[in-house]
Amino acid sequence: MKELELRRNGRPIILKLGGSVITRKEKPLTPNKRAIKRLAREISKAKVKRLIIVHGGGSFGHPIAKEHGIAEGFKDESQLMGFSKTSQAMTMLNEILVEALLNEKIPAATVRPSSFIVTKQSRIERADWKVVAKLLELGFVPVLYGDAVLDSAIGFTILSGDQLVAELAISLNAERIIIGVDVDGLYTADPKVDDSAKLIRNVSLEQLNELKDRIEKAKLVDVTGGMLGKINELMRAVKCGIPVLIVNGLKPNKIYKALLNERVVGTLITR
Ligand code: IP8
């Protein structure tokens, strides 16, 4: 009971595992099993009291959603199979991640976003966060993900994991957000093509606004906007005073250290 009270009192940490970390982005429907297993171990070792995990789509959700124009909304019946297949691909990826978490004795509980979230023009319009809050209170680790969802204006759309992270963080008054991606953080230029790119260790909202134009757009298929889309979404949580730490989820122990709030290479965005 004491333990339960402790859990009830703390503010949650929200961990986003990007699709670029848990899938092989260039190979359709291919999980990065090694990374998933290692991350599950790191999460288990960190023993965070109140943790919510959100994962992205990577090579599961994005290519199918793109092929069928799901993010742009309902246009004709030929998209229905595309919506269903996107949805199923995300369920498959979620299962792979959850299985790895359970193997590490993490009481993961999936909450399927499409079952309780409706968007309007791709922005969350209605969501009942009580289920997530209740799971947390009981000591579960709720696991959510970017999903194909219903939209009151355009029929359906793609809800990005990043919009979900920001909304969860604001609604559940999160302590902080950790974003695991396939680079060390935000750079002054694209580190994948520009050797002179420098990692930005700390950045305020004001500085970030100035830098935004220089942040690369993702080179691979990403129907929800790549790094730029990510920053725009997360800035909403930062404005509410919730710090965001971006770290490299492909490098061992970065997520572990971030969960423990230890110093780690990455980009810290604060108000
Ligand atoms: O990878 C979108 O989530 P994200 C997931 O966080 C789908 O942008 C279904 C494409």
Side-chain angles (χ1 to χ4, degrees):
M1 191 59 203
K2 256 212 161 109
E3 178 82 340
L4 199 63
E5 274 159 24
L6 219 151
R7 287 192 164 128
R8 233 180 241 146
N9 292 336
R11 294 167 67 192
I13 295 175
I14 302 187
L15 170 65
K16 164 99 193 277
L17 298 176
S20 60
V21 173
I22 61 168
T23 76
R24 306 222 177 254
K25 261 201 142 175
E26 67 294 344
K27 281 196 203 158
L29 300 175
T30 311
N32 183 342
K33 287 206 168 143
R34 256 179 69 177
I36 291 175
K37 198 169 172 185
R38 174 182 52 76
L39 286 166
R41 253 188 260 127
E42 290 185 23
I43 295 165
S44 168
K45 205 165 66 158
K47 294 190 173 52
V48 171
K49 282 277 175 263
R50 282 165 66 97
L51 179 68
I52 301 173
I53 298 174
V54 176
H55 67 82
S59 66
F60 279 74
H62 286 282
I64 309 172
K66 171 107 180 153
E67 189 189 331
H68 299 273
I70 305 304
E72 289 78 50
F74 177 85
K75 300 217 168 59
D76 63 68
E77 276 181 18
S78 69
Q79 291 170 294
L80 296 184
M81 283 302 289
F83 181 94
S84 300
K85 282 184 181 168
T86 305
S87 189
Q88 192 221 9
M90 289 310 297
T91 311
M92 273 162 47
L93 178 58
N94 176 258
E95 264 177 29
I96 294 168
L97 177 66
V98 168
E99 190 183 344
L101 295 171
L102 296 182
N103 285 342
E104 296 300 327
K105 311 264 179 301
I106 298 164
T110 296
V111 186
R112 189 176 190 162
S114 59
S115 69
F116 78 105
I117 297 175
V118 175
T119 56
K120 184 175 185 181
Q121 296 290 1
S122 304
R123 307 302 307 169
I124 294 176
E125 180 184 37
R126 264 174 288 145
D128 184 356
W129 305 108
K130 279 197 213 84
V131 172
V132 179
K134 187 71 193 171
L135 285 167
L136 265 181
E137 192 183 306
L138 288 170
F140 287 103
V141 174
V143 182
L144 298 89
Y145 49 88
D147 203 2
V149 298
L150 293 177
D151 188 290
S152 64
I154 57 172
F156 51 61
T157 192
I158 295 296
L159 167 66
S160 77
D162 299 308
Q163 189 185 153
L164 195 49
V165 164
E167 208 61 42
L168 270 165
I170 295 165
S171 302
L172 299 177
N173 187 26
E175 178 190 308
R176 53 203 170 90
I177 295 171
I178 301 164
I179 305 286
V181 289
D182 63 345
V183 289
D184 286 350
L186 292 181
Y187 284 81
T188 50
D190 183 353
K192 287 173 191 160
V193 293
D194 188 343
D195 282 349
S196 70
K198 288 201 173 44
L199 180 69
I200 303 163
R201 297 294 297 257
N202 286 287
V203 67
S204 69
L205 270 183
E206 199 181 326
Q207 293 167 323
L208 195 57
N209 267 322
E210 286 158 25
L211 272 165
K212 244 170 58 182
D213 295 344
R214 280 151 60 186
I215 295 168
E216 48 124 21
K217 281 206 172 193
K219 299 279 172 293
L220 291 156
V221 176
D222 185 338
V223 291
T224 47
M227 196 55 118
L228 200 65
K230 205 176 272 311
I231 297 307
N232 280 332
E233 291 298 349
L234 298 170
M235 277 170 83
R236 294 180 38 244
V238 180
K239 274 184 199 144
C240 296
I242 303 162
V244 173
L245 176 65
I246 303 176
V247 291
N248 195 330
L250 286 175
K251 292 190 178 164
N253 286 319
K254 302 289 176 214
I255 295 280
Y256 171 67
K257 284 188 175 170
L259 286 169
L260 294 185
N261 215 2
E262 285 179 6
R263 258 182 81 86
V264 59
V265 173
T267 301
L268 179 64
I269 311 171
T270 50
R271 190 156 55 178

